[in-house]
Amino acid sequence: MERNNWMIAIPSFPILFFIFFLLFGSILFVIFSNLSSIKDKFIPIFSSEYFILSYLTTLKIGLVVVIVSAALSYPLAFYSHFYNRKLSRVMDIIVFIPLMVNPLIRSLGWMIILGKEGLINWLLMKLGIINSPLRILYTDIAVEIGLLELFFPFMYTAIASSMENIPYETVMSASSLGAGSLRVFKDVVFPLSITGFMTGASIVMVGCAAAFVTPSILGGMKVKTLSIILREYVDVTLDWDAATIIAIAILLTAFGFIVGISLLKRLLLRW
Amino acid sequence: MPENKFFNILISLLFGLTISIILLPIILPLTISFSSSYTITFPPRGFTLEWFINIFLFKSLVDGFKFSLMLGIFASLIAIAMSLPATYAFYRYNFKLKGYLENLLLSPSLTPEIVLSFMLLVYFKALKIDHSFWLLLGHVLILIPYATRYTYASLINLDISIEDAAVALGASRLKAFLDVIAPNIAKGLVASFLLSFIVSFNAFSISLFLSYGETLPLPIAMWNYLQVRYDPTIAALSTILVIFTLTLSLIVRKIVELRGVR
């Protein structure tokens, strides 16, 4: 039944009002009510070494997580979708489990693995590869590993669902014409699923820029991502103007990624 | 099947690596929680149940659990009660702007949670909203995208013509919805409630910024505990929570095969 009557939208008014009042209301209010006090602080903060370093750290961590999670997801999604449907169902469950477990608990798990008296150091010392424990926890690498585990499911799901749109026959015909699986992947599957990768990349990038609990625990407040310095300004230095500016920076970066990647996707589809 | 041996080995290695990355951090706290060592070290030594008893000696953890439970239940109920009418209208009718409205409902999940948390904190302070509502409002807001998506998924298999049939037979629109539609989507709604509850129960940034006073949601209480002590108590609590949330999600999978829910 098709109706173009505005009354149909009435049931959604309460929830829309709620979103407008809290989400858009809070963002617009915070930006505009403080505009006079923060407008002179944008340039000093954006040009400070502290901010630039933190911004670059956040970008670097996000980029590493995007690359590694895609490198893991692509072969697994490709193989399980086209050659082994049973594995595909197993993967669906495996990527579902971590989403149900508190990120704080998973970070604790990584502390047990990466810590000075953790699994990796114990293993390496037992094997005699190292004599004194390696420092992995409280470094960028620890944060990247934790975030990789946090966001791998999203990258995998995005790539796997873009492969669902590739007809099986396409892959089979490429194979029967003599292309090896690597060639099939490179020339057929990869170009057809690039939009899935891009969706995944924007989710992971935005997620890494906004993640708090994982960098706070695995970075021990030493790895200063944007969200960590936002919390510092709110809680330690009590400089809420600076915090507002950092929040705006995170927001703009996140929207920049979302808009940029969706434009790129549109461009690719036309081409 | 790909003929290439090298390729098969590569896939097995990647699969093993992925499984360990995903599952090890969830399983390891479990092994540590029985360790009799006083700090968290690997490998675990000895066997004790002391840490499980120790959880109950910390009022902040016990209260946090109760508080998160209540918060999760109320926030999920409110989020679903608000999203059901909207998603039902979207499912049933096509109208101009529908696409835009649907995207609007997902917008809280597109805003980075830490930014949203901070903005809400400043906003609530300025509007002088009572502290006791901060967490509830914040949680309902971040649950809306999930509640709408899950509720929508529970409607997917519904044949809307049964509502028209009931109306043709003389029932009012409201009665038709309550008597004919509601029983058909009840299972889906329960699943949607449980999944929203898990999201609220695990939420961190929003709880950190908006909690006020003595009683803190469990993740924040655990985070504070970890800043001070690093002993297996927290691993024991993690074990309980992993079992708790995974059981809930198993129930969801048992009740209903929600498609597209991740």
Side-chain angles (χ1 to χ4, degrees):
Chain A
M1 198 194 310
E2 178 115 12
R3 283 195 201 171
N4 281 325
N5 184 338
W6 64 271
M7 302 245 304
I8 309 296
I10 289 180
S12 50
F13 283 175
I15 199 168
L16 291 174
F17 173 75
F18 193 85
I19 289 178
F20 273 109
F21 177 64
L22 286 187
L23 181 69
F24 300 106
S26 66
I27 292 174
L28 294 176
F29 175 84
V30 173
I31 292 175
F32 288 106
S33 72
N34 295 321
L35 204 57
S36 56
S37 67
I38 61 173
K39 71 173 190 292
D40 295 329
K41 295 186 186 163
F42 273 104
I43 292 166
I45 286 188
F46 285 163
S47 57
S48 69
E49 200 185 339
Y50 193 57
F51 175 81
I52 293 172
L53 271 180
S54 157
Y55 201 90
L56 292 177
T57 308
T58 312
L59 277 187
K60 188 205 96 186
I61 288 174
L63 223 73
V64 169
V65 177
V66 166
I67 292 169
V68 178
S69 62
L72 282 176
S73 301
Y74 253 120
L76 284 174
F78 172 60
Y79 177 77
S80 62
H81 183 64
F82 292 110
Y83 300 108
N84 191 340
R85 296 313 302 244
K86 210 190 256 168
L87 183 67
S88 158
R89 278 192 294 277
V90 173
M91 283 303 294
D92 277 350
I93 295 171
I94 287 174
V95 296
F96 178 75
I97 292 174
L99 299 184
M100 296 292 120
V101 178
N102 196 324
L104 179 85
I105 295 175
R106 291 188 271 155
S107 298
L108 177 74
W110 283 113
M111 284 177 96
I112 300 170
I113 297 171
L114 305 172
K116 216 170 167 184
E117 300 183 292
L119 174 69
I120 288 184
N121 275 321
W122 172 75
L123 213 65
L124 289 178
M125 301 234 278
K126 264 266 139 71
L127 293 172
I129 298 172
I130 51 169
N131 294 320
S132 56
L134 294 174
R135 216 180 91 96
I136 314 172
L137 197 60
Y138 309 135
T139 65
D140 288 11
I141 296 172
V143 177
E144 283 154 10
I145 293 173
L147 290 173
L148 172 68
E149 192 240 357
L150 209 57
F151 293 117
F152 169 80
F154 297 97
M155 181 61 96
Y156 178 83
T157 311
I159 289 177
S161 56
S162 75
M163 286 196 183
E164 296 221 325
N165 299 327
I166 303 173
Y168 189 64
E169 291 76 21
T170 316
V171 172
M172 281 300 110
S173 51
S175 287
S176 63
L177 290 173
S181 31
L182 204 65
R183 183 88 199 279
V184 171
F185 177 75
K186 186 170 71 84
D187 290 346
V188 180
V189 175
F190 183 71
L192 286 175
S193 63
I194 187 95
T195 52
F197 164 69
M198 290 178 148
T199 309
S202 72
I203 297 174
V204 173
M205 260 326 226
V206 172
C208 287
F212 176 76
V213 64
T214 306
S216 90
I217 290 182
L218 297 177
M221 293 295 189
K222 288 191 194 78
V223 179
K224 308 258 186 217
T225 64
L226 287 177
S227 34
I228 298 289
I229 63 171
L230 168 61
R231 181 67 194 168
E232 257 179 17
Y233 281 129
V234 173
D235 205 41
V236 185
T237 43
L238 301 176
D239 184 351
W240 284 30
D241 284 345
T244 309
I245 290 172
I246 304 292
I248 293 172
I250 298 177
L251 203 59
L252 288 179
T253 310
F255 282 131
F257 267 107
I258 293 173
V259 172
I261 284 184
S262 71
L263 283 179
L264 206 62
K265 259 200 298 204
R266 211 167 284 175
L267 210 73
L268 273 176
L269 281 181
R270 196 176 300 162
W271 169 67
Chain B
M1 264 299 179
E3 55 308 317
N4 198 332
K5 257 234 162 73
F6 170 75
F7 185 71
N8 284 337
I9 294 172
L10 183 78
I11 290 291
S12 317
L13 279 179
L14 282 179
F15 183 63
L17 183 64
T18 307
I19 289 211
S20 13
I21 289 178
I22 299 265
L23 296 183
L24 266 185
I26 299 173
I27 295 168
L28 276 181
L30 198 138
T31 63
I32 299 293
S33 54
F34 299 105
S35 165
S36 51
S37 156
Y38 277 87
T39 58
I40 296 181
T41 55
F42 197 89
R45 287 169 212 132
F47 180 86
T48 174
L49 290 175
E50 185 194 334
W51 307 114
F52 285 92
I53 300 158
N54 208 24
I55 298 171
F56 296 94
L57 301 180
F58 288 93
K59 197 171 169 295
S60 65
L61 297 179
V62 179
D63 287 352
F65 185 82
K66 287 183 201 151
F67 185 59
S68 279
L69 212 61
M70 297 304 283
L71 181 62
I73 290 172
F74 283 114
S76 311
L77 284 179
I78 296 172
I80 287 175
M82 285 202 297
S83 58
L84 180 62
T87 45
Y88 186 68
F90 292 161
Y91 177 69
R92 197 160 183 331
Y93 304 105
N94 275 316
F95 51 95
K96 279 185 226 160
L97 299 179
K98 181 169 128 171
Y100 293 103
L101 293 187
E102 280 175 342
N103 282 335
L104 259 180
L105 294 186
L106 299 181
S107 59
S109 66
L110 294 176
T111 317
E113 193 183 318
I114 187 133
V115 174
L116 192 57
S117 314
F118 171 68
M119 298 284 185
L120 284 178
L121 172 66
V122 181
Y123 192 50
F124 288 159
K125 264 204 155 129
L127 292 184
K128 300 201 169 58
I129 291 175
D130 194 72
H131 304 308
S132 36
F133 293 111
W134 289 10
L135 272 172
L136 187 64
L137 289 172
H139 272 237
V140 172
L141 185 62
I142 62 158
L143 289 191
I144 282 175
Y146 298 94
T148 17
R149 218 175 327 153
Y150 300 148
T151 311
Y152 209 94
S154 73
L155 293 173
I156 291 278
N157 293 319
L158 180 73
D159 180 4
I160 46 171
S161 61
I162 57 174
E163 191 195 323
D164 293 330
V167 173
L169 291 172
S172 69
R173 281 275 163 199
L174 186 68
K175 194 168 161 52
F177 181 81
L178 291 178
D179 287 358
V180 180
I181 302 295
N184 276 295
I185 59 173
K187 269 185 176 178
L189 288 184
V190 172
S192 166
F193 169 76
L194 289 177
L195 288 169
S196 306
F197 172 81
I198 294 174
V199 173
S200 159
F201 197 76
N202 289 341
F204 193 88
S205 302
I206 196 96
S207 303
L208 180 68
F209 280 80
L210 298 182
S211 52
Y212 191 91
E214 292 286 293
T215 314
L216 301 169
L218 187 57
I220 312 303
M222 288 172 76
W223 190 66
N224 286 342
Y225 185 98
L226 259 180
Q227 316 272 332
V228 188
R229 286 160 224 265
Y230 187 52
D231 68 18
T233 306
I234 213 77
L237 181 55
S238 298
T239 303
I240 295 176
L241 292 181
V242 167
I243 292 168
F244 177 60
T245 48
L246 285 185
T247 311
L248 286 185
S249 56
L250 245 151
I251 294 173
V252 172
R253 294 214 140 201
K254 267 266 159 347
I255 317 180
V256 63
E257 192 66 40
L258 282 181
R259 245 170 294 164
V261 170
R262 287 219 167 98

